[in-house]
Amino acid sequence: MHTLVAGGAGFIGSHLCDKLLALGHRVTAVDNLLTGSIDNIKHLLDNKDFQFIRHDVVESAPVLGGLDAIFHLASPASPVGYWTYPLETMLVNSTGTHNLLKLAAATGAKYLLTSTSEAYGDPLEHPQKESYRGNVNPVGPRSCYDEGKRYAEALSTLYVEKYGVDGRIVRIFNTYGPRNNPEDGRMVPNFVTQALTGKPVTIYGDGNQSRSLCYVSDMVEGLIKTMMTKEARGQVINLGNPDERTVLQVAMLIRELIGSSSPVEFLAGREEEVYRRCPDITRARQVLNWEPAVLLRDGLIKTVDWIREQLAITAANK
Ligand code: NAD
Ligand code: UDP
């Protein structure tokens, strides 16, 4: 099976490439390295079943024949990422998505769009089911990402319904683990780096806002199941871990696991903060027979080990 991973040098995309290769796929990763890194896939570059193409999918789809599946993960994902690259975010989710859909239609490859829990905005329904239509500000600070993904969902649905693409949409909820770029400002890499280096652990607002964190190996397994399950065609499926915690609880757990005495510092809240987020994964359980298996504590320990290693590498290179 020949599988394209757009965004394959990113955090989740690189783990997906690893897993697909382990399952016997031939994998082509396409990435313009906007928010990803060649370091995430350098261990794969000598693998004869793997090729990397540095390419911007906004310009065109990569020219590839004999394709069986297309995973579309190309997009900045963290608030800091899409605030740094708002136009690139809107373009990759609109034109980039269109290019990949045309490739799917032309080759007959199965297609999967990674959308986001941000499609629900600051939700008024809790936990969030796929049927919930969201509470999104179209001109707010997160709109380049939220509306970009909502457009990508609409376009993908059109290609499934009108142009016969064998497609499906996954709404990913907060995912963490090794290779989550420590510079991209997300909660887990920020707290772990701060706790490891003795710096204050920065909480935006009062820390009572919640998130539900999914370990990356669970996410990758869910993405592959969604692609491979026939009944997922044309569906929107939430993937995430419903183990909901407040941001302050996550910060305290990370400090405890590291044995850190970093102080906790409360800073101004983010503008238009999402106050609660937790997936209802009934559909994933029913359609895919999937649910996350990695406990938060275990996933965090692996993430801490990886970030500790990265900090040591950086220190040695100074
Ligand atoms: P990431 O930034 O690490 O990976 C995205 C990859 O896409 C990067 O390698 C980037 O260079 C690449 N990319 C961006 N624009 C591109 C373009 N025009 N052409 C080619 N490549 C391009 O982020 P991630 O966390 O791995 O997220 C992967 C996908 O999952 C994204 O689509 C994101 O919206 C979605 N998602 C992630 C999370 C999460 O918690 N990590 C949550 C919800 C949704
Ligand atoms: N957050 C925080 N301190 C940080 C980074 C993030 O308090 O150093 C909070 C942020 O305000 C949000 C949650 O952690 O409530 C998750 O933020 P992240 O950037 O990881 O992604 P989001 O879920 O908001 O897209």
Side-chain angles (χ1 to χ4, degrees):
M1 199 160 165
H2 182 196
T3 300
L4 170 65
V5 181
F11 159 49
I12 301 176
S14 63
H15 286 281
L16 179 61
C17 291
D18 287 347
K19 185 69 184 185
L20 290 168
L21 287 162
L23 292 171
H25 291 232
R26 195 151 61 82
V27 176
T28 299
V30 172
D31 202 299
N32 66 352
L33 303 181
L34 184 69
T35 52
S37 166
I38 204 78
D39 284 346
N40 290 336
I41 50 166
K42 65 175 186 288
H43 59 290
L44 300 176
L45 295 175
D46 290 335
N47 186 324
K48 66 174 179 26
D49 291 322
F50 179 78
Q51 68 167 326
F52 172 63
I53 303 173
R54 185 170 183 171
H55 179 71
D56 184 340
V57 298
V58 173
E59 283 168 20
S60 61
V63 182
L64 292 169
L67 259 189
D68 299 294
I70 300 171
F71 285 91
H72 177 11
L73 289 88
S75 168
S78 72
V80 169
Y82 56 75
W83 288 330
T84 309
Y85 301 111
L87 182 60
E88 290 85 347
T89 301
M90 296 203 79
L91 290 176
V92 74
N93 282 297
S94 52
T95 309
T97 299
H98 194 196
N99 285 334
L100 293 171
L101 282 163
K102 285 188 282 187
L103 182 65
T107 57
K110 291 149 104 53
Y111 166 91
L112 183 151
L113 169 72
T114 55
S115 184
T116 168
S117 51
E118 283 283 331
Y120 301 120
D122 187 14
L124 305 176
E125 181 180 301
H126 192 83
Q128 293 81 52
K129 284 196 191 75
E130 292 85 349
S131 55
Y132 178 52
R133 293 181 190 175
N135 176 34
V136 175
N137 179 355
V139 293
R142 293 174 180 251
S143 64
C144 63
Y145 185 61
D146 299 9
E147 297 293 11
K149 288 289 185 183
R150 286 166 70 99
Y151 178 84
E153 288 198 14
L155 195 61
S156 300
T157 303
L158 177 71
Y159 266 75
V160 171
E161 288 177 359
K162 298 268 188 220
Y163 300 103
V165 166
D166 182 354
R168 64 277 291 136
I169 295 167
V170 168
R171 294 194 183 129
I172 297 181
F173 283 66
N174 293 64
T175 299
Y176 71 100
R179 300 187 201 147
N180 187 167
N181 179 0
E183 314 270 290
D184 81 359
R186 274 183 268 203
M187 166 171 74
V188 170
N190 264 16
F191 292 167
V192 171
T193 307
Q194 291 161 342
L196 281 171
T197 55
K199 297 203 174 108
V201 172
T202 54
I203 307 283
Y204 304 149
D206 61 11
N208 285 325
Q209 69 271 34
S210 74
R211 292 295 185 270
S212 308
L213 297 170
C214 184
Y215 190 65
V216 65
S217 60
D218 283 332
M219 181 54 58
V220 162
E221 199 195 312
L223 291 173
I224 295 173
K225 275 198 163 176
T226 312
M227 182 69 98
M228 297 308 168
T229 302
K230 225 168 124 199
E231 292 69 30
R233 182 185 171 143
Q235 296 231 36
V236 178
I237 300 183
N238 284 340
L239 291 182
N241 191 326
D243 177 7
E244 183 183 4
R245 312 276 178 123
T246 68
V247 164
L248 186 57
Q249 283 171 338
V250 175
M252 298 313 277
L253 176 59
I254 289 173
R255 278 175 84 251
E256 178 208 314
L257 291 173
I258 291 173
S260 167
S261 49
S262 282
V264 172
E265 188 178 9
F266 290 90
L267 301 176
R270 275 182 178 163
E271 198 190 339
E272 294 199 15
E273 175 68 89
V274 174
Y275 195 69
R276 290 193 82 179
R277 189 182 284 158
C278 180
D280 181 314
I281 59 165
T282 308
R283 187 174 290 173
R285 284 196 175 104
Q286 286 172 350
V287 176
L288 311 173
N289 193 24
W290 174 90
E291 64 183 342
V294 180
L295 297 177
L296 181 60
R297 179 175 278 270
D298 296 340
L300 285 176
I301 290 170
K302 291 189 176 130
T303 311
V304 167
D305 288 346
W306 182 79
I307 293 184
R308 194 182 270 123
E309 223 176 273
Q310 300 309 301
L311 291 171
I313 294 169
T314 309
N317 288 339
K318 268 192 183 156

